[in-house]
Amino acid sequence: MSDGHTAPGAEPGDGPLAGVRVVELAGIGPGPFAAMLLGDLGADVVRVDRPGGAGLGLPADRDVTNRNKRSVVLDLKTADGPGLFLDLAGRADIVLEGYRPGVAERLGVGPEECRARNRRLVYGRMTGWGQEGPLADRAGHDIGYLAVTGTLGMIGPASGPPSVPANLLGDYAGGSLYLVVGVLAALHHARATGHGQVVDAAIVDGASHLSTMLHAMLAAGAWQDRREANLLDGGCPYYAVYRTADGGYMAVGALEPRFYAEFAALLGLGESAPDREDTARWDELRALIAARFRTRTRAEWTAVFEGTDACTAPVLSLREAGSHPHLAARGTFTDHGGVPQPAPAPRFSVTPGTLRRPPALPGAHAAGIARDWELPRLGRPHEES
């Protein structure tokens, strides 16, 4: 059990979570991302891979959600597999698991078995529907979780179907980040009381929680329960996206009057433009703004708004984002092992997160984990890296 000081396998300065031991049961989506985030912040993350692998089908050395981790291969369906896993759990601070409810218990590695070995253990469970409820045992994906929470229904044009926001809003914002907050809060409690607990992180709960402000606005009559009819959902013409002459896009977020005044002047709307407060003329104002943006390319408009408080920015692709001057100056993206990727976030003044390890190859670290965690050799023997 880690006491919060630097543990074997960790180095001083590895991040604010240096010395925290995490065991991750391999899966896909929000669980691996949560474990990566803990690893980015300095935790010693051991990923327990299954024989044959599990993941997104990417080459193992390119799956950067497995960076800052070490890996051991265990077959939990064999006679000795669960026991080897419980040995790890007995020396861990946090276990992360993303199976359907009941699967970990059937494998003999559920929270009761793990916490019988380690009463201070925090057992984090990542699912879409949660551990209980009518849909708890059903399969699902990000898009379905967002659908039932009302989140998906808020996104997209009023004249068409809702837009699919990749899987960032559900899996990672409503899932991974809530799991990380939960296990770190539970770890704080465990260190204060000596007792761990189970954290039930459900994407439907997290995605719903993210909409708290909008529910407040809805209750106050300041939000209409339909798409493209509100200040922040594309209904407002000065909080929207516009096409440029070359087929690019510019994003406008000039909400405050003084920022809007600067935006309108730089765009060249003219004094005859409709009053922005006249919602009855928003369609007219939107058409005028759209016509102005169609007169120049994205690069030209970017130059016009550069260095101003007009709150207008070019819409970049994933490949373009790393070259944006501001992101480049901050080092928001980095290259590690020849793989471009986002750098660790957030930032710390004393204990910054680092990229210490490339993506963990399945089973590559069994000997080192066994040594550092004072365990018998784990899983299959592989060359140590």
Side-chain angles (χ1 to χ4, degrees), residues 3 16 100 117 171 196 245 282 344 367 374 378:
D3 61 2
R100 290 199 207 187
R117 294 282 191 99
D171 280 352
W282 268 7
E374 300 177 349
L378 290 163

Side-chain angles (χ1 to χ4, degrees), residues 9-376:
E11 299 177 1
D14 275 351
L17 296 184
V20 173
R21 289 174 169 173
V22 178
V23 179
E24 173 202 356
L25 276 163
I28 60 173
F33 184 84
M36 181 207 77
L37 178 51
L38 295 172
D40 285 355
L41 299 182
D44 182 9
V45 179
V46 171
R47 177 178 170 93
V48 177
D49 283 294
R50 66 191 70 173
L56 300 174
L58 302 176
D61 62 348
R62 289 293 186 267
D63 187 355
V64 295
T65 60
N66 286 327
R67 71 190 188 191
N68 285 335
K69 302 177 184 180
R70 297 190 285 179
S71 169
V72 60
V73 171
L74 296 179
D75 188 346
L76 299 181
K77 295 182 179 180
T78 62
D80 61 347
L84 293 172
F85 181 87
L86 293 176
D87 288 342
L88 279 169
R91 288 162 170 77
D93 296 295
I94 297 168
V95 165
L96 301 181
E97 171 261 307
Y99 298 147
R100 290 199 207 187
V103 172
E105 285 82 352
R106 290 196 293 273
L107 291 171
V109 295
E112 288 191 15
E113 293 87 350
C114 289
R115 295 190 63 245
R117 294 282 191 99
N118 179 359
R119 68 186 183 123
R120 298 167 63 94
L121 181 71
V122 173
Y123 195 103
R125 314 196 81 165
M126 181 76 261
T127 61
W129 302 114
Q131 296 299 311
E132 57 188 17
L135 295 177
D137 293 328
R138 302 279 70 82
H141 282 292
D142 179 287
I143 192 170
Y145 309 139
L146 294 184
V148 302
T149 61
T151 308
L152 186 64
M154 294 189 297
I155 304 170
S159 58
S163 298
V164 180
N167 69 328
L168 302 180
L169 189 54
D171 280 352
Y172 299 124
S176 304
L177 298 186
Y178 277 86
L179 176 61
V180 169
V181 169
V183 297
L184 291 182
L187 179 62
H188 175 76
H189 175 265
R191 288 182 168 175
T193 66
H195 295 281
Q197 59 186 298
V198 178
V199 177
D200 176 3
I203 294 172
V204 291
D205 295 345
S208 297
H209 194 258
L210 288 170
S211 67
T212 299
M213 184 192 76
L214 301 184
H215 277 277
M217 295 175 71
L218 184 66
W223 188 272
Q224 298 184 60
D225 199 13
R226 55 191 177 91
R227 287 193 303 282
E228 212 172 33
N230 300 284
L231 191 65
L232 302 174
D233 67 352
C236 173
Y238 44 91
Y239 198 86
V241 177
Y242 293 93
R243 191 178 182 92
T244 58
D246 59 341
Y249 291 91
M250 297 293 291
V252 178
L255 290 176
E256 294 80 1
R258 66 189 182 94
F259 300 150
Y260 178 81
E262 189 164 358
F263 162 73
L266 290 169
L267 190 67
L269 286 184
E271 295 183 1
S272 62
D275 188 330
R276 74 181 217 131
E277 301 298 336
D278 186 354
T279 57
R281 299 185 67 189
W282 268 7
D283 286 345
E284 184 181 346
L285 179 56
R286 183 189 310 278
L288 180 59
I289 293 173
R292 290 295 303 147
F293 271 117
R294 287 196 297 268
T295 64
R296 299 186 186 183
T297 66
R298 189 187 72 176
E300 289 171 333
W301 282 119
T302 299
V304 168
F305 291 107
E306 186 71 28
T308 75
D309 281 338
C311 300
T312 301
V315 178
L316 303 182
S317 71
L318 289 176
R319 292 189 185 278
E320 291 175 316
S323 299
H324 186 275
H326 181 79
L327 303 186
R330 285 182 58 80
T332 299
F333 292 88
T334 188
D335 186 296
H336 192 259
V339 182
Q341 57 195 280
R347 304 183 185 204
F348 297 83
S349 62
V350 177
T351 55
T354 59
L355 294 184
R356 304 178 307 283
R357 296 178 180 273
L361 304 182
H365 308 98
I369 295 166
R371 178 190 66 241
D372 296 339
W373 289 39
E374 300 177 349
L375 293 167

